Amino acid sequence: MTLLERIVSNPANVYVANTREDALAAAISGSGTAAIEITRDPTWPTLEQFTNDNSQFLKYNPGPQNPTYVWDHTTSSAQRREFAAATNAYTFQQSTNVTISMAAFADNAMQAQIDLVDASAGTIISSKPLGVLLQGGSMDPVTGVTVEKPQFPYNWQNIRFYSVSTGTIPAGKYQIVFSFSAVNYDQYPGRANPAALSFQADVSAILTGDSIYNPDQNTFYRTINEAVADAAPNETIELLSGTYQQPSELVIDKPLTLRGRSAEQTVVTFDPAVPIGLRLQADDVTVEDMQFIVATESSGDNWALEIPLKAVPAEAPEEYFSNITIQRAVIQGGRRNAEIAAENLTLRDTQFVHRGDLDSVNIRVARGTTAIERNVFNGGELSRAAITVGDSEQYLTTGRLRVDGNLARSHAEFTRFDLSRFRDIEELAVINNTVEYVPQEVPTSSAVTLMPPLESLGFEQLPAIQFEQNTIDNPNPGENLAVYLDYLQGGIAVPAEGQIKVYDNVFNIPRPWGVEGDTVSEIAPVGFSPEAPQGISLAVFDLKGNIVPPEIPPVQ
């Protein structure tokens, strides 16, 4: 059962007229005289949602609030008015069954009716049990009112409730319309005579296969590919709770938001024959609250997420897809979890589950602002780095790069930056991360590896490199450094004195630090490889406030 819409009385959605027919026509067309909000009389009961209401409706009409009291623009004794409100129109690709639950209050009495509308034609097509006129008190305006205290509620002051189902209806476009006749009794002598209507209704549907929803079009789809193909730019596609078997690569080629209920509730599993799962080939794409799973292969291009180049220099000046956000997701499987080239990229609150033999997230090239925040990287026995940046011989990484608040488990190293491919960097920060190595016999690598620029002036194009407030837990023998300048692949550039800021970190790393030939600090696990150029010294590291336990025995 899918919760389609909650509708609450409000001037934004309730129309008032002198006849039921006119009120219904106004609600169905969305054009007519709107009711006005009435101040609550102290004697009226209220309809309120629970304070911890966790209902997940596709629509909340007019918004996440309680019903208000509505009436005509004037109020008088012995007055009768007709009101109506309609849901959004929903398109179902397959047959469905819609269930409606309603609660309502009127001062003084009311009749209510729920109807099914063919939204393509704008006509009512109700059949019983729909279309039944429900009675809520005497509709005679001269009905006596009992007001003798302490007899509360007064004889007219009741909240009415009702539930009904449409039964199975064929594929089509439908909406539900609610209509009310409300009467204000003749005035009781010596007492003010206010009038009001207040109601709330929940509309649900049993969806048999139509579990992919475009809220901008109010349309349900059978497959993700159909929904993407039919969506207009900048619309949203919502995947309801469930597991979706995806037989082919999923390509997002227009600005869209692709949203699930949560990474635990919405799971997209790709066929084992599909080597690359989700491919984002557009600007302004957001993917959130869902999980993607691909099989892990032993060779070839194989990853769950790919953001390719928009254009390569052979075709045009190199271009990058921009403004990509992945958040509150799970990315699982592949030799790599993700292969990315992007501008203004955000990876946030996402879990990467890696069991392949390469790095988890490989950012070939990054432009603009790259934010990798509050993610969890769960590695396996063969996992290399959790994050690599600059793994491209052709393209240069520029802008701002921030790795902040992540947790990495069971990787050989946390981050690896190829600084030879960095230019015009405004920020390079690794801050407030936790890196946990599992005990193992195979030697692990340093937490952060910096591959230096090839040119002698390369570090002058880089800002201060910040490595601050991180916790590194590595019980294994081996290199076991926190920050390592690795000149093995070449490079003659030397950082300026104090350019690598290593502040306020906790290093639970057993000694000895580094391997034979490395130059390593005595007070912190930082250093550089034996291939480093002449003139370099440990003064390139600015070490402040780091906590290093006096002695930690390595795992034997």
Side-chain angles (χ1 to χ4, degrees):
M1 181 73 72
T2 298
L3 303 177
L4 295 184
E5 185 170 340
R6 171 168 288 172
I7 185 167
V8 297
S9 54
N10 187 283
N13 62 5
V14 179
Y15 295 89
V16 60
N18 290 326
T19 68
R20 180 184 293 272
E21 291 74 17
D22 288 345
L24 284 168
I28 293 170
S29 66
S31 177
T33 301
I36 65 170
E37 183 173 349
I38 300 297
T39 301
R40 177 180 178 266
D41 186 88
T43 64
W44 292 343
T46 57
L47 291 169
E48 293 186 358
Q49 63 184 358
F50 289 97
T51 55
N52 61 339
D53 188 338
N54 60 356
S55 304
Q56 290 184 302
F57 286 89
L58 300 181
K59 297 281 188 180
Y60 207 128
N61 185 358
Q65 57 183 317
N66 293 314
T68 61
Y69 302 93
V70 295
W71 196 253
D72 197 0
H73 294 245
T74 60
T75 303
S76 61
S77 296
Q79 183 184 28
R80 176 170 175 155
R81 287 293 181 267
E82 308 294 329
F83 301 88
T87 67
N88 289 271
Y90 296 90
T91 299
F92 302 100
Q93 306 284 358
Q94 300 186 83
S95 61
T96 190
N97 187 314
V98 177
T99 298
I100 307 103
S101 297
M102 178 184 69
F105 157 78
D107 180 346
N108 293 104
M110 64 178 159
Q111 295 171 327
Q113 187 168 310
I114 301 174
D115 287 290
L116 179 67
V117 176
D118 178 350
S120 297
T123 57
I124 294 175
I125 54 172
S126 297
S127 58
K128 288 185 178 181
L130 294 172
V132 173
L133 191 62
L134 306 169
Q135 301 294 329
S138 171
M139 297 298 290
D140 184 351
V142 298
T143 299
V145 178
T146 301
V147 295
E148 291 79 7
K149 297 181 180 179
Q151 188 172 335
F152 286 93
Y154 303 115
N155 69 325
W156 43 268
Q157 206 162 20
N158 293 309
I159 296 174
R160 311 287 178 167
F161 55 87
Y162 178 70
S163 297
V164 69
S165 171
T166 62
T168 301
I169 53 178
K173 187 175 183 181
Y174 301 98
Q175 63 187 144
I176 304 297
V177 63
F178 303 86
S179 57
F180 301 87
S181 297
V183 62
N184 187 28
Y185 288 163
D186 202 3
Q187 184 173 0
Y188 186 82
R191 178 177 172 83
N193 192 22
L197 171 72
S198 182
F199 66 90
Q200 170 270 334
D202 290 349
V203 181
S204 307
I206 299 175
L207 302 175
T208 55
D210 286 359
S211 54
I212 300 156
Y213 175 59
N214 183 325
D216 299 290
Q217 301 182 19
N218 288 324
T219 299
F220 291 88
Y221 298 89
R222 289 185 290 267
T223 70
I224 308 173
N225 290 355
E226 289 175 339
V228 171
D230 197 45
N234 301 308
E235 290 188 339
T236 296
I237 296 172
E238 296 183 0
L239 277 68
L240 307 184
S241 298
T243 298
Y244 297 81
Q245 303 297 330
Q246 181 67 18
S248 62
E249 184 176 279
L250 177 57
V251 178
I252 307 298
D253 57 1
K254 64 190 73 172
L256 286 178
T257 294
L258 188 64
R259 177 184 299 139
R261 284 300 176 92
S262 72
E264 294 75 26
Q265 293 177 287
T266 303
V267 180
V268 178
T269 300
F270 292 87
D271 187 279
V274 177
I276 297 175
L278 175 66
R279 189 191 299 267
L280 305 182
Q281 295 183 175
D283 298 332
D284 303 311
V285 173
T286 296
V287 178
E288 59 191 16
D289 300 310
M290 54 198 313
Q291 182 172 171
F292 298 91
I293 302 175
V294 300
T296 300
E297 301 178 359
S298 58
S299 63
D301 292 348
N302 168 220
W303 31 81
L305 168 66
E306 181 178 60
I307 307 174
L309 282 169
K310 179 185 290 188
V312 297
E315 302 170 355
E318 61 185 81
E319 296 182 37
Y320 304 89
F321 294 114
S322 180
N323 302 325
I324 310 293
T325 298
I326 311 292
Q327 59 187 0
R328 300 186 303 276
V330 174
I331 309 295
Q332 180 172 338
R335 298 186 70 199
R336 287 191 172 111
N337 290 142
E339 177 83 356
I340 295 172
E343 181 176 8
N344 296 330
L345 169 73
T346 299
L347 303 178
R348 179 187 296 127
D349 298 319
T350 290
Q351 182 179 173
F352 295 89
V353 182
H354 186 254
R355 298 296 182 264
D357 59 352
L358 299 175
D359 309 305
S360 176
V361 174
N362 181 42
I363 301 177
R364 297 174 59 204
V365 56
R367 296 289 179 93
T369 298
T370 302
I372 305 174
E373 304 170 339
R374 304 191 303 270
N375 304 288
V376 176
F377 297 86
N378 282 319
E381 294 181 359
L382 302 177
S383 299
R384 298 182 185 178
I387 306 164
T388 58
V389 182
D391 183 17
S392 171
E393 296 181 358
Q394 297 175 276
Y395 314 115
L396 297 175
T397 287
T398 64
R400 309 176 71 90
L401 177 62
R402 189 175 184 89
V403 180
D404 188 353
N406 302 280
L407 169 62
R409 300 188 183 102
S410 305
H411 288 77
E413 56 186 325
F414 177 43
T415 59
R416 183 170 67 252
F417 301 123
D418 187 349
L419 302 181
S420 69
R421 311 308 303 161
F422 283 38
R423 294 290 187 278
D424 301 321
I425 299 296
E426 301 174 45
E427 179 185 26
L428 179 54
V430 180
I431 295 176
N432 196 33
N433 302 283
T434 298
V435 182
E436 298 176 352
Y437 293 81
V438 297
Q440 59 187 43
E441 296 181 0
V442 178
T444 51
S445 300
S446 301
V448 175
T449 300
L450 304 174
M451 301 171 66
L454 301 177
E455 302 85 358
S456 60
L457 300 179
F459 274 100
E460 293 186 4
Q461 303 181 56
L462 298 173
I465 300 171
Q466 301 168 261
F467 186 79
E468 302 177 11
Q469 298 178 335
N470 302 284
T471 299
I472 312 297
D473 292 320
N474 188 348
N476 300 297
E479 294 180 3
N480 292 353
L481 293 181
V483 182
Y484 187 53
L485 267 171
D486 186 358
Y487 286 87
L488 181 61
Q489 303 301 321
I492 58 175
V494 175
E497 183 175 329
Q499 187 172 1
I500 303 175
K501 310 292 185 183
V502 184
Y503 294 169
D504 303 317
N505 302 281
V506 177
F507 299 129
N508 295 314
I509 301 176
R511 300 171 188 263
W513 296 327
V515 297
E516 184 177 353
D518 286 344
T519 300
V520 179
S521 169
E522 294 184 356
I523 62 173
V526 301
F528 50 83
S529 68
E531 298 82 10
Q534 292 184 352
I536 190 173
S537 74
L538 290 171
V540 302
F541 297 98
D542 185 9
L543 306 175
K544 294 180 181 178
N546 300 295
I547 299 175
V548 180
E551 187 62 37
I552 301 175
V555 173
Q556 302 298 324

